[in-house]
Amino acid sequence: MCRNCIESHGQLSRRSFIGGGAALAGLAGLGLGPDAARAQVPDAPNAISPDEALERLLAGNGRYAANDAANRDYSVGRTARSQAQHPIAAIVSCADSRVSPELLFDQGPGELFVVRVAGNFVNEDGLASLEYGAKFLGIPLVLILGHSGCGAVDATIKVIQDKAELPGHLPQLVDSLRPGVEAAIAAKPENLLAAATVENVRHNVTKLQAAEPIVSGLVSEGRVKVVGGVYDIATGKVTML
């Protein structure tokens, strides 16, 4: 082998080694390394049942709706949060600026693992995030959260019923929302937007409960519960489905 080839190969090997080491370090930082299971210690703050996690969320929402929030000093616990996170629930929420899960459930930093996308649906990227949260952070509860007046759901209704055409990547988003919206249309409800919002949540709850290989297994073992709810922007209240 020529000298230049050998030198080039050696440089490539060193770069590959360094890059691989950086990648492993990154995975370890995410809790995906060989010692990841150690993060799920029995006395962790989120080592609670799914039902208890839901009770905490609903209690927090009650405080928020009554304008009696308990979480006001966000500096508390910063040092501890820099070492680890122990969220009690994952929230699949719409990207709508009026929907802020940490606020409407009155939870402090580090207590919720939030995945946001317009229309609050579960795609492969969102599923990977939820798998990480459930498997490596020990999250016991996943809540699919729709909300009143959802623009993404309304746009999907217009595409289906009025043949509206949307620009850019919006048609792909509409495709993800079609199943729930079409189910609502078939039922011919009085308030189609509200019904479609509910059906979209239900569709994604069912989809996530059956998501293999990680979430469905944790659900069947009783370690994770997947539920759905709708947030009313006007009242501040969350109604569970």
Side-chain angles (χ1 to χ4, degrees):
M1 184 181 292
C2 68
R3 179 177 180 182
N4 289 338
C5 292
I6 294 173
E7 291 177 349
S8 176
H9 176 73
Q11 291 171 355
L12 177 60
S13 297
R14 286 191 293 273
R15 286 196 297 269
S16 299
F17 176 79
I18 293 171
L24 288 173
L27 290 176
L30 284 173
L32 298 177
D35 296 328
R38 296 182 183 177
Q40 298 176 320
V41 294
D43 59 347
N46 64 346
I48 58 178
S49 70
D51 289 340
E52 183 178 346
L54 181 57
E55 288 176 5
R56 291 191 189 182
L57 291 187
L58 295 180
N61 179 243
R63 294 192 299 271
Y64 170 78
N67 198 30
D68 188 28
N71 286 281
R72 299 181 186 276
D73 185 355
Y74 296 107
S75 66
V76 174
R78 280 179 180 165
T79 301
R81 288 195 297 273
S82 70
Q83 302 302 313
Q85 59 172 319
H86 302 285
I88 64 169
I91 312 292
V92 179
S93 166
C94 185
D96 192 301
S97 62
R98 300 166 294 177
V99 182
S100 300
E102 290 87 350
L103 295 179
L104 67 92
F105 287 115
D106 190 26
Q107 299 299 312
E111 294 181 316
L112 296 181
F113 187 81
V114 182
V115 177
R116 300 186 68 165
V117 62
N120 47 269
F121 60 89
V122 178
N123 60 9
E124 289 190 0
D125 296 326
L127 175 58
S129 294
L130 295 170
E131 288 177 333
Y132 166 64
K135 179 75 172 179
F136 296 102
L137 298 181
I139 293 172
L141 179 74
V142 181
L143 169 61
I144 311 292
L145 184 67
H147 69 92
S148 59
C150 181
V153 173
D154 189 46
T156 303
I157 292 172
K158 289 180 170 60
V159 168
I160 295 173
Q161 290 194 321
D162 305 328
K163 309 304 179 185
E165 296 184 4
L166 301 179
H169 292 82
L170 290 172
Q172 286 93 312
L173 185 146
V174 165
D175 287 342
S176 296
L177 298 177
R178 275 183 181 273
V181 173
E182 289 178 341
I185 291 174
K188 300 180 179 179
E190 291 185 9
N191 187 332
L192 179 55
L193 178 56
T197 298
V198 168
E199 289 302 325
N200 179 53
V201 169
R202 287 177 173 159
H203 170 75
N204 281 280
V205 167
T206 300
K207 179 180 178 179
L208 186 56
Q209 287 172 333
E212 297 181 338
I214 295 175
V215 177
S216 62
L218 294 172
V219 168
S220 65
E221 294 169 6
R223 294 168 56 189
V224 170
K225 180 178 284 189
V226 181
V227 297
V230 176
Y231 169 60
D232 188 322
I233 295 175
T235 65
K237 297 180 180 179
V238 172
T239 300
M240 299 304 298
L241 302 179

